[in-house]
Amino acid sequence: MKRVSQLTALTAALGLAAFSSFAADMTHSLTLAELQQQKGAVIDTRVSAFYNGWPQALNGTSGHEPSALNLSASWLGAMNEAQLKAWATQHQLTQATPIALYGSDSDNQAVKARLSEAGFSHIALLGDALQIPARLQRLAHFEQLVYPQWLSQLQQGKPVTAAPAGEWKVIEAAWGAPKFYLLSHIPGADYIDTNEVESEPLWNKVSDDALKAMLAKHGIRHDTTVILYGRDVYAAARVAQIMLYAGVKDVRLLDGGWKAWDEAGLPVERGTPGKVTPAADFGAPVPGQPQLMLNTEQARGLLHRKDASLVSIRSWPEFTGVTSGYSYIKPKGEIQGARWGHAGSDATHMEDFKNPDGTMRSADDIAAMWKEWHIVADQQVAFYCGTGWRASETFMYARAMGWKNVGVYDGGWYEWSSNPQNPVATGERGPDSSL
């Protein structure tokens, strides 16, 4: 056994004392009612899956405290000081705001430490957190965004919340040959090339007959639960949205995609997909939900209406016509009268919709972002981007949020801009430009 120097022992003792003092600070707690009287803020320090509504234990409580913000301790390593301050500013938190945390002890301690470093000093525990199930809030359809540990338990045959009603499949989706899939993928996962669901020249969805054949090839019926993931979440979302259009009733996304599975340290396998038994029949008409996919004339009909929104899921430089966003799309600009639904820094990123770990941002944040551009839940809403991927990801989030009348304008900017007769807008403009 190594000898411990007096200096090391002293350092350890001081560290333990500091931790004990720090832990003692967290014994101060407030009830939700007390915090609300002080006009304070509640922060849920758990991972987003539990915040969204997945119970931490089978038959456990589900959801988050009213108006709680989600600042997961697991994100802290991906947030620098400036990003944390920007998060606080975005949620109107000042250093004088009373804050109450809830989650595990270790997560609360980690978040408190970072907030304290940023100058927040009025931090307590939420003493009655998750004790009154009736007041908890959750995504309307949290089950449509699964998390890695849930999927792992399902694969092991363990009982899980919101289990598939019948047969289920896990599928990785990406463009082209399965080069990354061959190196490492979720055990038992099939592989779908996005070329199986969309085609040139405009990268619109394939014909309904071709779609039906693709589903049969992968052994998918209308009542098969399909759990999709991707190295890029929007690739999986594109396939998911088209499957829903076709009539597959239960299609889910792995929130955070392959990255979430990989970072969870769960088992992987390599090699080609296993043999799939084709489905003899889809068991229902295709398409089962034709309203989920809009053509150009249907999209045009949503413009300049208070009860509808045609929503651009493109970066601000694309929306204002600085860039088309794509090497193969030459025209720059935007559909005149479309509303900006945010996206990310360019045509291949979706930061505006993502937590630091790549999972879906909170529904409250997304709804607030859309409301600024007159996009609200009781409208008929159709999302579009350049060719459908980013729009499909946003569609899947809106669906999980419980937005009932949503679809995707399949042709997007690529199809719209291919006809010079279609009206186009460029330049800086605000939300009222779409009214």
Side-chain angles (χ1 to χ4, degrees):
M1 181 176 180
K2 292 184 178 179
R3 295 179 60 191
V4 179
S5 70
Q6 290 182 324
L7 179 60
T8 302
L10 179 60
T11 301
L14 289 173
L16 182 61
F19 179 81
S20 298
S21 175
F22 184 61
D25 290 341
M26 289 298 289
T27 59
H28 174 59
S29 67
L30 296 168
T31 65
L32 181 61
E34 291 169 339
L35 187 70
Q36 290 172 336
Q37 287 177 351
Q38 298 180 26
K39 297 182 178 179
V42 183
I43 294 179
D44 187 326
T45 66
R46 302 174 300 166
V47 297
S48 59
F50 300 143
Y51 174 87
N52 286 340
W54 287 99
Q56 290 181 255
L58 201 63
N59 301 318
T61 56
S62 170
H64 59 264
E65 292 293 343
S67 301
L69 305 175
N70 191 200
L71 179 59
S72 174
S74 65
W75 305 343
L76 298 178
M79 299 177 76
N80 59 32
E81 183 179 350
Q83 289 169 324
L84 183 62
K85 287 184 177 179
W87 179 89
T89 300
Q90 174 196 343
H91 293 99
Q92 301 179 330
L93 301 183
T94 69
Q95 294 181 350
T97 303
I99 294 171
L101 311 177
Y102 70 92
S104 71
D105 290 343
S106 59
D107 286 350
N108 290 338
Q109 295 290 353
V111 172
K112 180 180 187 295
R114 283 296 298 277
L115 290 174
S116 297
E117 289 174 7
F120 294 88
S121 55
H122 304 286
I123 305 174
L125 287 174
L126 188 66
D128 58 348
L130 307 178
Q131 294 179 15
I132 307 175
R135 77 182 184 195
L136 300 182
Q137 301 173 344
R138 60 192 63 80
L139 278 183
H141 297 291
F142 65 85
E143 75 283 352
Q144 293 170 11
L145 296 173
V146 308
Y147 64 101
Q149 291 78 9
W150 178 90
L151 180 52
S152 178
Q153 290 171 351
L154 178 68
Q155 290 182 317
Q156 295 172 56
K158 296 180 180 179
V160 293
T161 300
E167 292 188 5
W168 53 271
K169 293 179 178 291
V170 181
I171 300 176
E172 177 171 333
W175 178 78
K179 52 185 179 180
F180 294 111
Y181 171 97
L182 292 174
L183 295 173
S184 189
H185 58 262
I186 293 176
D190 191 8
Y191 181 83
I192 286 182
D193 176 356
T194 55
N195 287 316
E196 297 179 61
V197 299
E198 60 179 13
S199 62
E200 295 183 281
L202 296 174
W203 295 113
N204 287 357
K205 72 165 186 67
V206 297
S207 71
D208 292 342
D209 285 344
L211 186 55
K212 188 173 182 179
M214 183 278 296
L215 293 167
K217 169 188 168 185
H218 290 279
I220 298 169
R221 289 174 41 87
H222 73 287
D223 53 0
T224 305
T225 294
V226 181
I227 302 162
L228 285 151
Y229 75 95
R231 315 283 158 158
D232 296 311
V233 173
Y234 53 29
R238 175 65 163 162
V239 176
Q241 201 272 339
I242 290 174
M243 283 188 178
L244 287 165
Y245 158 86
V248 183
K249 293 181 179 179
D250 186 6
V251 183
R252 312 189 194 190
L253 283 182
L254 175 60
D255 198 13
W258 166 257
K259 179 174 178 283
W261 183 274
D262 186 45
E263 292 185 348
L266 292 167
V268 299
E269 66 182 17
R270 61 186 301 152
T272 57
K275 186 176 180 181
V276 176
T277 302
D281 183 64
F282 185 66
V286 175
Q289 297 195 79
Q291 76 279 7
L292 300 186
M293 197 71 78
L294 283 73
N295 62 30
T296 295
E297 290 311 306
Q298 291 170 322
R300 192 194 311 277
L302 304 184
L303 295 170
H304 305 293
R305 285 170 49 183
K306 289 185 177 181
D307 65 340
S309 285
L310 183 61
V311 182
S312 171
I313 305 299
R314 302 175 73 206
S315 66
W316 186 249
E318 290 172 273
F319 187 76
T320 56
V322 174
T323 176
S324 75
Y326 302 80
S327 61
Y328 53 88
I329 301 179
K330 300 307 178 185
K332 300 175 183 178
E334 194 57 274
I335 297 174
Q336 191 176 87
R339 294 173 179 149
W340 189 47
H342 288 255
S345 53
D346 57 35
T348 62
H349 290 87
M350 289 280 283
E351 299 101 327
D352 295 350
F353 290 91
K354 301 294 184 64
N355 293 319
D357 63 354
T359 55
M360 174 189 158
R361 191 173 166 186
S362 79
D364 287 345
D365 281 358
I366 293 173
M369 187 168 67
W370 285 342
K371 188 176 181 180
E372 290 182 4
W373 278 80
H374 310 299
I375 305 161
V376 294
D378 61 358
Q379 295 173 334
Q380 179 184 357
V381 177
F383 303 105
Y384 72 93
C385 52
T387 61
W389 287 31
R390 289 175 289 175
S392 294
E393 182 174 345
T394 311
F395 166 91
M396 294 300 290
Y397 294 155
R399 186 169 174 268
M401 290 163 63
W403 287 40
K404 299 184 185 307
N405 197 359
V406 292
V408 167
Y409 166 33
D410 190 26
W413 174 244
Y414 201 2
E415 183 169 316
W416 186 273
S417 65
S418 68
N419 182 351
Q421 301 303 312
N422 286 330
V424 170
T426 58
E428 299 283 328
R429 57 199 181 279
D432 291 344
S433 65
S434 66
L435 298 178

